[in-house]
Amino acid sequence: MSTPADAPSGTPGSSPDQPIDSPKDWVKEHIDRYLATDGKDGHEWNGTTALLLTYQGAVSDLWRRTALIYGQLGAAFALVASKGGAPADPAWYTSLVAHPDCRIQVMGEVLDVTARTASADERAAIWPIMTAQWPAYDDYVEKAKAADRVIPVVVLERR
């Protein structure tokens, strides 16, 4: 994992240990609760489970953190880059494509992982796992189709 060349060590965004949290208030509050309790408050969220993803920005190279719904795939993890069915992929997905080495926190466990986009066959196998976690993903697919976008599924594998 690299450090942005123009970010002094110890400043927000300079490393995965000093990420910039989501600017959305409700996500930032979720992250704060998750971190303060090692996920005891925040892992279970609205009837599903969430992890914290720390990733390096595709353009800025700054490290950022967000909370996302995830699915368990044996020793690996899955994320859906839905952005609610919007016409464009979420920034975190674009960033993972550019910089696949990232970090997750699941409850109190912090793991360095590598992200990759699931193949079409993998996506087909993973999709039911993810819609069991969050049924609205099927609705997001319909919205994304209007923009000719296929919602990516991301597989995170331990390094």
Side-chain angles (χ1 to χ4, degrees):
M1 290 189 221
S2 62
T3 300
D6 58 352
S9 180
T11 60
S14 65
S15 77
D17 297 321
Q18 296 287 326
I20 298 167
D21 289 332
S22 173
K24 295 180 182 172
D25 289 341
W26 71 271
V27 178
K28 172 73 171 103
E29 290 169 9
H30 186 170
I31 291 167
D32 289 346
R33 287 192 322 270
Y34 203 111
L35 291 171
T37 65
D38 278 340
K40 289 177 187 73
D41 184 1
H43 181 257
E44 291 186 17
W45 177 81
N46 288 352
T48 189
T49 54
L51 56 69
L52 300 182
L53 172 69
T54 303
Y55 61 93
Q56 195 169 14
V59 176
S60 69
D61 283 339
L62 294 174
W63 287 90
R64 301 181 184 282
R65 180 170 48 205
T66 193
L68 296 168
I69 295 167
Y70 77 97
Q72 189 80 45
L73 306 174
F77 305 86
L79 306 173
V80 175
S82 67
K83 198 175 180 182
D89 292 326
W92 64 261
Y93 174 73
T94 304
S95 296
L96 290 180
V97 170
H99 300 290
D101 287 343
C102 55
R103 179 173 287 170
I104 59 172
Q105 180 172 340
V106 180
M107 297 290 292
E109 187 175 15
V110 177
L111 303 165
D112 288 330
V113 296
T114 300
R116 64 179 177 79
T117 302
S119 69
D121 287 345
E122 287 176 309
R123 184 185 184 283
I126 296 168
W127 195 256
I129 295 167
M130 298 309 298
T131 56
Q133 290 288 339
W134 194 252
Y137 285 142
D138 283 331
D139 297 331
Y140 301 163
V141 165
E142 294 307 313
K143 290 180 186 177
K145 279 182 186 176
D148 291 326
R149 179 167 88 93
V150 175
I151 294 175
V153 171
V154 175
V155 176
L156 303 171
E157 297 170 313
R158 298 169 194 245
R159 283 188 276 129

